[in-house]
Amino acid sequence: MKRKLKQLIALTLSAVMVLGLTACGKSNDSVSSTNKKVALTEPGTYPIVADGEKLTLTCFTMTMPNVEDLETNDFTKYLEEKTGIHIEFETGTRDDWEDKLNMSLQSGDYPDIILGVSPNLAKYGVKEGILIKLDDLINEENTPNYYNMFKNQLDLSRESDGNIYSLLSTNDCYHCSYGRKMWINTKYLEDMGCKMPETTEEFYEVCKKFLEYKPNGIAIGGTAPGAGWFSTFQDWLMGSFLLCPSKSYTLNVYDMTAVNRDGKIVSAATDNRYKDFLAYCNSLYKLGAIYDGNFTQTGEQLKTIINQDDAPVLCFPEGTISDYIDSAGNPDLYKQYATLAPLEGPEGTRLSSYFKYASIGSGSFCITDKCKNPEAALRWVDFFYSATGDLSSQYGADEGVDWVLNPEGEVGLNGKPALYKVLNAYSAETQNHDWQDIGIRVAPADYRLGQAVTPNIDPYAPDGLEKLLFESSKNDYEPYAQNEANSDLDMIPELKMTDEESTNVSTVAVEVEKIIIESSVAFITGAKDINTEWDSFINALDKAGLQTLLDTYQTAYDRMMKN
């Protein structure tokens, strides 16, 4: 299993993707439904559907604000023309996809396929059989592109019963693996005569000086947990005391679980080093460095504050600066911020969170028992795993207009000859030419780093963002990633629990998350005394069932390691 985990680390992942249930298009009367089998062409050829046959697949997927209408989208039309399969979409938003997908699956009126989002595989696959087993359908004939990419990693998609109910996806985004970044205003540092802080003590002094320099300013910005992309200041600061784990890949909750060197699942929240961390945060709060809104505000609210002249912000956490400052609209402010490397804590700890298991995940594509043509469905989705599948869905399918392969004389982010050059760049504005973040990302590391970039481009130019994030990750975060030498804790991969295990601890996990988040805020702000009420915090976690949660994770982890 350790070999498989190393393969997992070396591979790649799909951006976590979101979905919902609002119908995006109506049935085309000229196209057949999926209530009967249709004849297909020879495997490995297009179109997929034989001459004279028509096929519609109903698909549950996500919608995003920057895609106008999946039904009339140019890439949707291209894919239908290429495959001969018409897709009838059911879509929803980032906020409600999970509830609506569960409602659909529980009602009995659910679609043929589920794309770009992971349903509860243990419940709807292993237990209820709504999601069909794909083991015998994944092969070089039906899914040549997928099989060639993942044939040595298929076990990563096996559920607790040993069967496969979904496809893997990969988005090996280098800078995402070190997404927990802090951005600090270097102009303010220069004006104050301060160097880039390297220790928690130096950081405290810089914050103190900033508040004297800008009395109306905010030394440390941030958002409520989950309101942005790595935008909670606590998680970044925690690396000066102990590893801050990722949000659970298994139950999608902030339970702060990690695995220690002995293979034991523990919670970092009960560690005395976490207590020391909270005490340090309290000292910053008493100084006035931590803005009260950080515990409740959204990413949009933080963005508004950062871009205001009357409330300057010294530093703020976020996976990418572009989420909060527009390089074209506010270039002067944009250029003032640089990444701040992890701070060395009182005991010499200096860690950045390396999300080693975030690059590959299961649940990206499922077929339900409503689908009468599963082979056709798999051949349809296999296009996304082809050499031009990701390029076409992300940027458009017109080669020479949207992108070119192997551009002569161009180099990639990794300094090697570029594999492709994007001509139709990603847009945050609404468009209807491509899917962009909708569907499946199939982006291995070599592919992502192989995108053509101008060799000497200014990282702070509008089209220099990828270079800025790459270099920031390489210089300021990769050197401090957790390893066996510098950390006794490590990340936990996605665990394959049974439906019974998941049901038994789902409520417990939510309650544990609530206690950790609320109590941590109280300790930071001084609403609770860290010295007199720490034991009560630990007791509250025990009563909520933390040990049951850890034991369940341990069982699933041990089962995984044996395979």
Side-chain angles (χ1 to χ4, degrees), residues 129-211:
I130 291 174
L131 308 176
I132 68 170
K133 299 174 184 178
L134 303 178
D135 306 58
D136 295 336
L137 297 172
I138 297 173
N139 52 54
E140 287 188 279
E141 284 198 348
N142 287 328
T143 56
N145 298 311
Y146 179 81
Y147 185 78
N148 288 334
M149 181 173 289
F150 291 113
K151 60 185 176 183
N152 295 323
Q153 287 82 29
L154 290 178
D155 285 348
L156 299 176
S157 59
R158 297 191 186 280
E159 295 304 307
S160 59
D161 65 347
N163 292 309
I164 297 173
Y165 296 88
S166 70
L167 299 189
L168 299 166
S169 61
T170 175
N171 185 16
D172 200 346
C173 166
Y174 174 74
H175 71 80
C176 303
S177 298
Y178 303 97
R180 194 166 277 154
K181 296 178 173 67
M182 181 70 82
W183 300 86
I184 190 166
N185 192 301
T186 57
K187 181 180 182 299
Y188 294 154
L189 291 178
E190 183 179 349
D191 290 347
M192 294 186 296
C194 297
K195 66 173 186 176
M196 193 76 77
E198 295 190 15
T199 68
T200 51
E201 184 177 353
E202 290 177 357
F203 185 67
Y204 180 95
E205 293 301 322
V206 167
C207 289
K208 182 179 179 180
K209 195 164 186 177
F210 174 77
L211 295 173

Coordinates of all heavy atoms in Angstrom, one line a residue, residues 129-211:
G129 N -26.4 -0.2 -4.5 CA -26.2 -0.6 -5.9 C -26.8 0.3 -6.9 O -27.0 -0.1 -8.1
I130 N -27.1 1.6 -6.6 CA -27.6 2.5 -7.5 C -26.5 2.9 -8.5 O -26.7 3.0 -9.7 CB -28.1 3.8 -6.8 CG1 -29.4 3.5 -6.0 CG2 -28.4 4.9 -7.8 CD1 -29.9 4.6 -5.2
L131 N -25.3 3.0 -8.0 CA -24.1 3.2 -8.9 C -23.6 1.8 -9.2 O -23.4 1.0 -8.4 CB -23.1 4.0 -8.1 CG -23.5 5.3 -7.5 CD1 -22.4 6.0 -6.7 CD2 -24.1 6.3 -8.6
I132 N -23.4 1.6 -10.5 CA -23.0 0.3 -11.0 C -21.5 0.1 -10.8 O -20.7 1.0 -10.8 CB -23.4 0.0 -12.4 CG1 -22.6 0.9 -13.4 CG2 -24.9 0.3 -12.6 CD1 -22.8 0.5 -14.9
K133 N -21.1 -1.2 -10.7 CA -19.7 -1.6 -10.7 C -19.1 -1.4 -12.1 O -19.7 -1.8 -13.1 CB -19.5 -3.0 -10.2 CG -20.1 -3.3 -8.8 CD -20.0 -4.7 -8.4 CE -20.7 -5.0 -7.1 NZ -20.7 -6.4 -6.7
L134 N -17.9 -0.8 -12.1 CA -17.2 -0.6 -13.4 C -16.0 -1.5 -13.7 O -15.4 -1.3 -14.7 CB -16.8 0.9 -13.4 CG -17.9 2.0 -13.2 CD1 -17.2 3.3 -13.2 CD2 -19.0 1.9 -14.2
D135 N -15.7 -2.4 -12.7 CA -14.5 -3.2 -12.9 C -14.4 -3.9 -14.2 O -13.3 -3.8 -14.8 CB -14.5 -4.3 -11.8 CG -14.7 -3.7 -10.4 OD1 -15.7 -3.0 -10.1 OD2 -13.8 -4.0 -9.5
D136 N -15.5 -4.5 -14.7 CA -15.4 -5.2 -16.0 C -15.5 -4.4 -17.2 O -15.4 -4.8 -18.3 CB -16.5 -6.3 -16.0 CG -16.3 -7.4 -14.9 OD1 -15.2 -7.5 -14.5 OD2 -17.3 -8.0 -14.5
L137 N -15.9 -3.1 -17.0 CA -16.1 -2.2 -18.1 C -14.8 -1.3 -18.4 O -14.7 -0.7 -19.5 CB -17.3 -1.3 -17.9 CG -18.6 -2.0 -17.7 CD1 -19.7 -1.0 -17.3 CD2 -19.0 -2.6 -19.1
I138 N -13.9 -1.2 -17.4 CA -12.7 -0.4 -17.6 C -11.6 -1.3 -18.2 O -11.1 -2.2 -17.6 CB -12.2 0.1 -16.3 CG1 -13.3 1.1 -15.7 CG2 -10.9 0.9 -16.4 CD1 -13.0 1.6 -14.3
N139 N -11.4 -1.0 -19.5 CA -10.3 -1.8 -20.2 C -9.8 -1.0 -21.4 O -10.3 0.1 -21.7 CB -10.9 -3.2 -20.6 CG -12.2 -3.0 -21.4 OD1 -12.3 -2.3 -22.4 ND2 -13.3 -3.7 -20.9
E140 N -8.9 -1.6 -22.1 CA -8.3 -0.9 -23.3 C -9.3 -0.7 -24.4 O -9.1 0.2 -25.2 CB -7.1 -1.7 -23.8 CG -5.9 -1.6 -22.8 CD -4.6 -2.2 -23.4 OE1 -4.5 -3.4 -23.4 OE2 -3.8 -1.5 -24.0
E141 N -10.4 -1.4 -24.4 CA -11.3 -1.3 -25.5 C -12.3 -0.1 -25.2 O -12.4 0.8 -26.0 CB -12.1 -2.6 -25.7 CG -11.4 -3.6 -26.5 CD -12.3 -4.7 -27.0 OE1 -13.5 -4.7 -26.7 OE2 -11.8 -5.5 -27.9
N142 N -13.0 -0.2 -24.1 CA -14.0 0.8 -23.7 C -13.3 2.2 -23.3 O -13.9 3.2 -23.7 CB -14.9 0.3 -22.6 CG -15.8 -0.7 -23.0 OD1 -16.3 -0.7 -24.1 ND2 -16.1 -1.6 -22.1
T143 N -12.3 2.1 -22.6 CA -11.7 3.3 -22.0 C -10.2 3.3 -22.3 O -9.4 3.3 -21.3 CB -12.0 3.4 -20.5 OG1 -11.5 2.2 -19.9 CG2 -13.4 3.6 -20.3
P144 N -9.7 3.4 -23.5 CA -8.3 3.3 -23.8 C -7.5 4.4 -23.1 O -6.4 4.2 -22.6 CB -8.2 3.3 -25.3 CG -9.5 4.0 -25.7 CD -10.5 3.5 -24.8
N145 N -8.0 5.6 -23.2 CA -7.3 6.8 -22.6 C -7.2 6.7 -21.1 O -6.1 6.9 -20.5 CB -7.9 8.1 -23.1 CG -7.9 8.3 -24.5 OD1 -6.9 8.2 -25.2 ND2 -9.1 8.6 -25.1
Y146 N -8.3 6.4 -20.5 CA -8.4 6.3 -19.0 C -7.5 5.1 -18.6 O -6.7 5.3 -17.6 CB -9.8 6.1 -18.6 CG -9.9 5.9 -17.1 CD1 -10.0 7.1 -16.2 CD2 -10.0 4.7 -16.5 CE1 -10.1 6.9 -14.9 CE2 -10.2 4.6 -15.1 CZ -10.2 5.7 -14.3 OH -10.3 5.5 -12.9
Y147 N -7.6 4.0 -19.2 CA -6.9 2.8 -18.8 C -5.4 3.0 -18.9 O -4.6 2.7 -18.0 CB -7.3 1.6 -19.7 CG -6.7 0.3 -19.3 CD1 -7.2 -0.4 -18.2 CD2 -5.6 -0.2 -19.9 CE1 -6.7 -1.6 -17.7 CE2 -5.0 -1.4 -19.5 CZ -5.6 -2.1 -18.4 OH -5.0 -3.3 -18.0
N148 N -4.9 3.6 -20.0 CA -3.5 3.9 -20.1 C -3.0 4.8 -19.1 O -1.8 4.7 -18.7 CB -3.2 4.4 -21.5 CG -3.4 3.4 -22.6 OD1 -3.2 2.2 -22.3 ND2 -3.7 3.8 -23.8
M149 N -3.8 5.8 -18.6 CA -3.4 6.8 -17.6 C -3.4 6.2 -16.2 O -2.5 6.4 -15.5 CB -4.3 8.0 -17.7 CG -3.9 9.1 -16.7 SD -4.8 10.6 -16.9 CE -4.2 11.2 -18.4
F150 N -4.3 5.3 -15.9 CA -4.5 4.9 -14.5 C -4.4 3.4 -14.3 O -4.8 2.9 -13.2 CB -5.9 5.4 -14.0 CG -6.0 6.8 -13.8 CD1 -6.8 7.6 -14.6 CD2 -5.2 7.5 -12.8 CE1 -6.9 9.0 -14.4 CE2 -5.3 8.9 -12.6 CZ -6.2 9.6 -13.4
K151 N -4.0 2.6 -15.3 CA -4.0 1.2 -15.2 C -3.2 0.7 -13.9 O -3.5 -0.4 -13.4 CB -3.4 0.5 -16.4 CG -2.0 0.9 -16.8 CD -1.6 0.3 -18.2 CE -0.3 0.7 -18.6 NZ 0.1 0.2 -20.0
N152 N -2.2 1.4 -13.5 CA -1.4 1.0 -12.4 C -1.9 1.6 -11.1 O -1.4 1.4 -10.0 CB 0.1 1.5 -12.5 CG 0.7 0.7 -13.7 OD1 0.5 -0.5 -13.9 ND2 1.6 1.4 -14.4
Q153 N -3.0 2.5 -11.1 CA -3.5 3.1 -9.9 C -5.0 2.8 -9.7 O -5.7 3.4 -9.0 CB -3.4 4.6 -10.0 CG -1.9 5.1 -9.8 CD -1.1 5.0 -11.1 OE1 -1.6 5.1 -12.2 NE2 0.2 4.8 -11.0
L154 N -5.5 1.8 -10.4 CA -7.0 1.5 -10.4 C -7.4 1.1 -8.9 O -8.5 1.4 -8.5 CB -7.3 0.3 -11.3 CG -7.3 0.6 -12.8 CD1 -7.6 -0.6 -13.6 CD2 -8.2 1.8 -13.1
D155 N -6.5 0.6 -8.1 CA -6.8 0.2 -6.8 C -7.2 1.4 -5.9 O -7.9 1.3 -4.9 CB -5.7 -0.5 -6.1 CG -5.6 -2.0 -6.6 OD1 -6.5 -2.4 -7.3 OD2 -4.5 -2.6 -6.3
L156 N -6.7 2.6 -6.3 CA -7.1 3.8 -5.6 C -8.5 4.2 -5.7 O -9.1 4.9 -4.8 CB -6.2 5.0 -6.1 CG -4.7 4.9 -6.0 CD1 -4.1 6.1 -6.7 CD2 -4.3 4.8 -4.6
S157 N -9.2 3.6 -6.6 CA -10.7 3.9 -6.8 C -11.5 2.7 -6.2 O -12.8 2.8 -6.3 CB -11.0 4.1 -8.3 OG -10.7 2.9 -9.0
R158 N -10.9 1.7 -5.6 CA -11.7 0.7 -5.1 C -12.3 1.1 -3.7 O -11.6 1.6 -2.9 CB -10.9 -0.6 -4.9 CG -10.4 -1.2 -6.2 CD -9.8 -2.5 -6.1 NE -9.2 -2.9 -7.4 CZ -9.9 -3.4 -8.4 NH1 -11.2 -3.6 -8.3 NH2 -9.3 -3.7 -9.5
E159 N -13.6 0.7 -3.5 CA -14.3 1.0 -2.3 C -14.0 -0.1 -1.3 O -13.3 -1.0 -1.5 CB -15.8 1.2 -2.6 CG -16.1 2.4 -3.4 CD -15.5 3.7 -2.8 OE1 -15.8 4.0 -1.7 OE2 -14.8 4.4 -3.6
S160 N -14.7 0.0 -0.1 CA -14.4 -0.9 1.0 C -14.7 -2.4 0.6 O -14.2 -3.3 1.2 CB -15.2 -0.5 2.2 OG -16.6 -0.5 1.9
D161 N -15.6 -2.6 -0.4 CA -15.9 -4.0 -0.8 C -14.9 -4.5 -1.9 O -15.1 -5.6 -2.4 CB -17.3 -4.1 -1.3 CG -17.6 -3.3 -2.5 OD1 -16.7 -2.5 -2.9 OD2 -18.7 -3.5 -3.2
G162 N -14.0 -3.7 -2.3 CA -13.0 -4.0 -3.3 C -13.4 -3.8 -4.7 O -12.6 -4.1 -5.7
N163 N -14.6 -3.2 -4.9 CA -15.1 -2.9 -6.3 C -14.9 -1.4 -6.6 O -14.8 -0.6 -5.8 CB -16.5 -3.3 -6.4 CG -16.7 -4.8 -6.3 OD1 -16.0 -5.6 -7.0 ND2 -17.6 -5.3 -5.4
I164 N -15.0 -1.2 -8.0 CA -14.8 0.2 -8.5 C -16.2 0.7 -8.9 O -16.9 0.1 -9.7 CB -13.9 0.2 -9.7 CG1 -12.5 -0.2 -9.3 CG2 -13.8 1.6 -10.4 CD1 -11.5 -0.4 -10.5
Y165 N -16.6 1.9 -8.4 CA -17.9 2.5 -8.7 C -17.7 3.9 -9.4 O -18.7 4.5 -9.7 CB -18.7 2.7 -7.4 CG -19.1 1.4 -6.8 CD1 -18.2 0.8 -5.9 CD2 -20.3 0.7 -7.1 CE1 -18.6 -0.4 -5.3 CE2 -20.6 -0.5 -6.5 CZ -19.7 -1.1 -5.6 OH -20.1 -2.3 -5.0
S166 N -16.5 4.3 -9.5 CA -16.3 5.6 -10.1 C -14.9 5.7 -10.8 O -14.0 4.9 -10.6 CB -16.3 6.7 -9.0 OG -15.2 6.6 -8.2
L167 N -14.7 6.7 -11.6 CA -13.4 7.0 -12.2 C -12.6 8.0 -11.4 O -13.1 8.8 -10.7 CB -13.6 7.5 -13.6 CG -14.4 6.6 -14.7 CD1 -14.3 7.3 -16.1 CD2 -13.9 5.2 -14.7
L168 N -11.3 7.8 -11.6 CA -10.4 8.8 -11.0 C -10.2 10.0 -11.9 O -10.5 10.0 -13.1 CB -9.0 8.1 -10.8 CG -8.9 6.9 -9.9 CD1 -7.6 6.2 -10.1 CD2 -9.1 7.3 -8.5
S169 N -9.8 11.1 -11.3 CA -9.4 12.3 -12.1 C -8.2 12.8 -11.4 O -7.8 12.5 -10.3 CB -10.5 13.3 -12.1 OG -10.8 13.8 -10.8
T170 N -7.5 13.7 -12.2 CA -6.2 14.1 -11.7 C -6.0 15.6 -12.1 O -6.3 16.0 -13.2 CB -5.0 13.3 -12.3 OG1 -3.8 13.8 -11.9 CG2 -5.1 13.2 -13.8
N171 N -5.5 16.4 -11.1 CA -5.2 17.8 -11.4 C -4.0 18.1 -10.5 O -4.0 18.6 -9.4 CB -6.4 18.7 -11.0 CG -6.1 20.1 -11.3 OD1 -5.2 20.4 -12.1 ND2 -6.8 21.0 -10.7
D172 N -2.8 17.7 -11.0 CA -1.6 17.8 -10.3 C -1.0 19.2 -10.4 O -0.1 19.5 -11.1 CB -0.5 16.8 -10.8 CG 0.6 16.6 -9.7 OD1 0.6 17.4 -8.8 OD2 1.3 15.6 -9.9
C173 N -1.7 20.1 -9.7 CA -1.4 21.5 -9.7 C -0.3 21.7 -8.6 O -0.6 21.6 -7.4 CB -2.7 22.3 -9.3 SG -2.4 24.0 -8.9
Y174 N 0.9 22.1 -9.1 CA 2.0 22.2 -8.2 C 1.7 23.3 -7.1 O 1.9 23.0 -5.9 CB 3.3 22.6 -9.0 CG 4.5 22.9 -8.1 CD1 5.2 21.9 -7.4 CD2 4.9 24.2 -8.0 CE1 6.3 22.2 -6.6 CE2 6.0 24.5 -7.2 CZ 6.6 23.5 -6.5 OH 7.7 23.8 -5.7
H175 N 1.3 24.4 -7.5 CA 1.1 25.5 -6.5 C -0.1 25.2 -5.6 O -0.2 25.7 -4.5 CB 1.0 26.9 -7.2 CG -0.3 27.1 -8.0 ND1 -1.5 27.4 -7.4 CD2 -0.6 27.0 -9.3 CE1 -2.4 27.6 -8.3 NE2 -1.9 27.3 -9.5
C176 N -1.0 24.4 -6.1 CA -2.2 24.0 -5.2 C -1.7 23.1 -4.1 O -2.3 23.1 -3.0 CB -3.3 23.3 -6.1 SG -3.9 24.2 -7.4
S177 N -0.7 22.3 -4.4 CA -0.1 21.4 -3.4 C 0.4 22.2 -2.2 O 0.6 21.6 -1.1 CB 0.9 20.5 -4.0 OG 0.4 19.6 -5.0
Y178 N 0.8 23.4 -2.4 CA 1.3 24.3 -1.4 C 0.3 25.5 -1.4 O 0.8 26.7 -1.3 CB 2.7 24.7 -1.7 CG 3.6 23.6 -1.8 CD1 4.0 23.1 -3.0 CD2 4.2 23.0 -0.6 CE1 4.8 22.0 -3.1 CE2 5.0 21.9 -0.7 CZ 5.4 21.4 -2.0 OH 6.2 20.3 -2.1
G179 N -1.0 25.3 -1.4 CA -2.0 26.3 -1.5 C -2.1 27.2 -0.3 O -2.6 28.3 -0.4
R180 N -1.6 26.8 0.9 CA -1.8 27.5 2.1 C -0.7 28.6 2.1 O 0.4 28.4 2.7 CB -1.7 26.6 3.3 CG -2.2 27.2 4.6 CD -2.4 26.1 5.6 NE -3.7 25.5 5.5 CZ -4.0 24.3 5.9 NH1 -3.1 23.5 6.5 NH2 -5.2 23.8 5.8
K181 N -1.0 29.8 1.5 CA 0.0 30.8 1.4 C -0.5 32.1 2.2 O -1.7 32.3 2.4 CB 0.1 31.2 -0.1 CG 0.7 30.2 -1.0 CD 0.8 30.6 -2.4 CE 1.5 29.6 -3.3 NZ 0.8 28.4 -3.5
M182 N 0.5 32.9 2.5 CA 0.2 34.2 3.2 C 0.9 35.3 2.3 O 2.0 35.2 1.9 CB 0.8 34.3 4.6 CG 0.5 35.6 5.3 SD -1.2 35.9 5.7 CE -1.3 34.9 7.3
W183 N 0.1 36.3 2.0 CA 0.6 37.4 1.1 C 0.8 38.6 2.0 O -0.1 39.0 2.7 CB -0.4 37.7 0.0 CG -0.7 36.5 -0.9 CD1 -1.5 35.5 -0.7 CD2 0.0 36.2 -2.1 NE1 -1.5 34.6 -1.7 CE2 -0.5 35.0 -2.6 CE3 1.1 36.8 -2.8 CZ2 0.0 34.4 -3.7 CZ3 1.5 36.2 -4.0 CH2 1.0 35.0 -4.4
I184 N 2.0 39.2 1.9 CA 2.3 40.4 2.7 C 2.7 41.6 1.9 O 3.4 41.4 0.8 CB 3.5 40.0 3.7 CG1 3.7 41.1 4.8 CG2 4.8 39.7 3.0 CD1 4.5 40.7 6.0
N185 N 2.4 42.8 2.3 CA 2.6 44.0 1.5 C 4.1 44.4 1.7 O 4.4 44.9 2.8 CB 1.6 45.1 2.0 CG 1.7 46.3 1.0 OD1 2.7 46.9 0.8 ND2 0.5 46.6 0.4
T186 N 4.9 44.3 0.7 CA 6.3 44.6 0.8 C 6.6 46.1 0.8 O 7.6 46.5 1.3 CB 7.1 43.9 -0.3 OG1 6.5 44.4 -1.6 CG2 7.0 42.4 -0.3
K187 N 5.6 46.9 0.3 CA 5.8 48.3 0.3 C 5.7 48.8 1.7 O 6.5 49.7 2.2 CB 4.8 49.0 -0.6 CG 4.9 50.5 -0.6 CD 3.8 51.2 -1.5 CE 4.0 52.7 -1.5 NZ 3.9 53.3 -0.2
Y188 N 4.7 48.3 2.5 CA 4.6 48.7 3.9 C 5.8 48.3 4.7 O 6.3 49.0 5.5 CB 3.3 48.0 4.5 CG 2.0 48.5 3.9 CD1 0.9 47.7 3.9 CD2 1.9 49.8 3.3 CE1 -0.3 48.2 3.4 CE2 0.7 50.2 2.8 CZ -0.4 49.4 2.8 OH -1.6 49.9 2.3
L189 N 6.3 47.1 4.4 CA 7.6 46.7 5.1 C 8.7 47.6 4.8 O 9.4 48.0 5.7 CB 8.0 45.2 4.6 CG 7.1 44.1 5.1 CD1 7.6 42.8 4.5 CD2 7.0 44.0 6.6
E190 N 8.8 48.0 3.5 CA 9.9 48.9 3.2 C 9.7 50.3 3.8 O 10.7 50.9 4.4 CB 9.9 49.1 1.7 CG 11.1 50.0 1.2 CD 11.1 50.1 -0.4 OE1 10.4 49.3 -1.0 OE2 11.8 51.0 -0.9
D191 N 8.5 50.8 3.8 CA 8.2 52.1 4.4 C 8.5 52.1 5.9 O 8.9 53.1 6.5 CB 6.7 52.5 4.2 CG 6.4 52.8 2.8 OD1 7.4 53.0 2.0 OD2 5.2 52.9 2.4
M192 N 8.3 50.9 6.6 CA 8.5 50.8 8.0 C 9.9 50.5 8.3 O 10.3 50.5 9.5 CB 7.6 49.8 8.6 CG 6.1 50.1 8.5 SD 5.1 48.8 9.4 CE 5.4 47.3 8.5
G193 N 10.7 50.2 7.3 CA 12.1 49.8 7.6 C 12.2 48.4 8.1 O 13.2 48.1 8.8
C194 N 11.3 47.6 7.8 CA 11.3 46.2 8.3 C 11.7 45.2 7.2 O 11.3 45.4 6.0 CB 9.9 45.8 8.8 SG 9.3 46.8 10.2
K195 N 12.4 44.2 7.6 CA 12.7 43.1 6.7 C 11.5 42.1 6.7 O 10.6 42.2 7.6 CB 14.0 42.4 7.0 CG 13.9 41.7 8.4 CD 15.2 40.9 8.6 CE 15.1 40.0 9.9 NZ 16.2 39.2 10.1
M196 N 11.5 41.1 5.8 CA 10.5 40.1 5.8 C 10.7 39.3 7.1 O 11.7 38.7 7.4 CB 10.7 39.2 4.6 CG 9.5 38.2 4.3 SD 8.1 39.0 3.6 CE 8.6 39.2 1.9
P197 N 9.6 39.2 7.9 CA 9.7 38.4 9.2 C 10.0 36.9 8.9 O 9.4 36.4 8.0 CB 8.4 38.7 9.9 CG 7.4 39.0 8.8 CD 8.3 39.7 7.7
E198 N 10.8 36.3 9.8 CA 11.1 34.9 9.6 C 10.7 34.1 10.9 O 10.7 32.8 10.8 CB 12.6 34.7 9.3 CG 13.0 35.3 8.0 CD 14.4 34.9 7.6 OE1 14.9 33.9 8.2 OE2 15.0 35.5 6.7
T199 N 10.4 34.7 12.0 CA 10.0 34.0 13.2 C 8.7 34.6 13.7 O 8.3 35.7 13.3 CB 11.1 34.2 14.3 OG1 11.1 35.6 14.7 CG2 12.4 33.8 13.8
T200 N 8.1 33.9 14.6 CA 6.8 34.4 15.2 C 7.0 35.6 16.0 O 6.2 36.5 16.0 CB 6.2 33.3 16.1 OG1 7.2 32.8 17.0 CG2 5.7 32.1 15.3
E201 N 8.2 35.7 16.6 CA 8.5 36.9 17.4 C 8.7 38.1 16.5 O 8.2 39.2 16.7 CB 9.8 36.7 18.2 CG 10.2 37.9 19.1 CD 11.4 37.6 19.9 OE1 11.9 36.4 19.9 OE2 11.9 38.5 20.6
E202 N 9.4 37.9 15.3 CA 9.6 39.0 14.4 C 8.2 39.4 13.8 O 8.0 40.6 13.5 CB 10.5 38.6 13.3 CG 12.0 38.5 13.8 CD 12.9 38.0 12.7 OE1 12.4 37.7 11.6 OE2 14.1 37.9 12.9
F203 N 7.4 38.5 13.5 CA 6.1 38.7 12.9 C 5.2 39.6 13.9 O 4.6 40.5 13.5 CB 5.4 37.4 12.6 CG 4.0 37.6 11.9 CD1 4.0 38.1 10.6 CD2 2.8 37.3 12.5 CE1 2.8 38.2 10.0 CE2 1.6 37.4 11.9 CZ 1.6 37.9 10.6
Y204 N 5.3 39.3 15.2 CA 4.6 40.0 16.2 C 5.1 41.5 16.2 O 4.2 42.4 16.2 CB 4.8 39.4 17.6 CG 4.1 40.2 18.7 CD1 2.9 39.8 19.2 CD2 4.7 41.2 19.3 CE1 2.3 40.4 20.2 CE2 4.1 41.9 20.4 CZ 2.9 41.5 20.8 OH 2.3 42.2 21.8
E205 N 6.4 41.7 16.1 CA 6.9 43.1 16.1 C 6.5 43.8 14.8 O 6.3 45.0 14.9 CB 8.4 43.0 16.3 CG 8.9 42.5 17.6 CD 8.4 43.3 18.8 OE1 8.3 44.6 18.6 OE2 8.0 42.8 19.8
V206 N 6.5 43.1 13.7 CA 6.1 43.8 12.4 C 4.7 44.2 12.5 O 4.3 45.3 12.1 CB 6.4 42.8 11.2 CG1 5.7 43.4 10.0 CG2 7.9 42.7 11.0
C207 N 3.8 43.4 13.0 CA 2.4 43.7 13.2 C 2.2 44.9 14.1 O 1.4 45.8 13.8 CB 1.6 42.5 13.7 SG 1.4 41.1 12.6
K208 N 3.0 44.9 15.2 CA 2.9 46.0 16.1 C 3.3 47.3 15.5 O 2.7 48.4 15.6 CB 3.8 45.7 17.3 CG 3.8 46.8 18.4 CD 4.7 46.4 19.6 CE 4.7 47.5 20.7 NZ 5.6 47.1 21.8
K209 N 4.4 47.3 14.7 CA 4.9 48.5 14.1 C 3.9 49.0 13.0 O 3.7 50.2 12.8 CB 6.3 48.2 13.4 CG 7.0 49.5 13.1 CD 8.5 49.2 12.8 CE 9.3 50.5 12.6 NZ 10.7 50.3 12.5
F210 N 3.3 48.0 12.3 CA 2.3 48.4 11.2 C 1.1 49.1 11.8 O 0.6 50.1 11.3 CB 1.8 47.1 10.5 CG 0.7 47.4 9.5 CD1 1.0 47.9 8.3 CD2 -0.6 47.0 9.9 CE1 -0.1 48.2 7.4 CE2 -1.6 47.3 9.0 CZ -1.4 47.9 7.7
L211 N 0.6 48.7 13.0 CA -0.5 49.3 13.6 C -0.2 50.7 14.1 O -1.1 51.6 14.2 CB -1.0 48.5 14.8 CG -1.6 47.1 14.4 CD1 -1.9 46.3 15.6 CD2 -2.8 47.3 13.5

